[in-house]
Amino acid sequence: MADILLSALVSSMVGNLNTSALQELGIALGLRDELDNLESTLSTIQAVLQDAEEKQWKSEAIRNWLRKLKEGAYDADDALDEFATEALMRKAEKEKGVTSQVSSFFS
């Protein structure tokens, strides 16, 4: 069951990388290449996970590796969530500033 959750988590992380707010912040901070590299790495991890999930029933070492990878994936997901939250906050502040300027202009 943990293996299925791990695959879903990695898939969710790849999806989070493609949100518009995160992409905009990545471009603004000059992190576009790093985000692309992270997406590529996560896609590779996802492929390896699929193979490991099939083999885990035969190997205690693979089950142990999946457990450790899951812990690391949760940490990475937390960091990505913080980055995405920051991106949304910056986007909201930017939109609020534009709305305020438009309101002032028409007042």
Side-chain angles (χ1 to χ4, degrees):
M1 184 65 144
D3 57 327
I4 295 170
L5 296 176
L6 186 55
S7 292
L9 178 62
V10 173
S11 179
S12 171
M13 291 168 66
V14 171
N16 285 343
L17 284 172
N18 292 316
T19 62
S20 63
L22 193 61
Q23 293 294 324
E24 289 174 19
L25 182 61
I27 291 168
L29 296 177
L31 300 174
R32 184 70 205 140
D33 290 339
E34 285 80 1
L35 289 175
D36 288 343
N37 289 338
L38 181 57
E39 184 176 1
S40 175
T41 300
L42 287 173
S43 295
T44 302
I45 288 171
Q46 205 167 18
V48 171
L49 278 174
Q50 288 174 347
D51 185 51
E53 288 168 358
E54 293 173 11
K55 295 178 180 176
Q56 75 170 326
W57 308 111
K58 300 174 188 170
S59 170
E60 180 63 33
I62 292 176
R63 279 194 296 276
N64 186 37
W65 177 78
L66 283 171
R67 271 193 299 275
K68 290 178 181 178
L69 183 60
K70 182 180 175 184
E71 292 171 11
Y74 280 130
D75 291 341
D77 189 46
D78 289 344
L80 187 56
D81 282 345
E82 288 177 24
F83 192 65
T85 300
E86 179 67 24
L88 288 173
M89 288 174 45
R90 287 184 183 210
K91 186 175 182 179
E93 288 174 8
K94 183 178 174 183
E95 290 173 357
K96 183 179 177 183
V98 170
T99 303
S100 177
Q101 290 174 353
V102 171
S103 296
S104 296
F105 176 76
F106 285 112
S107 293

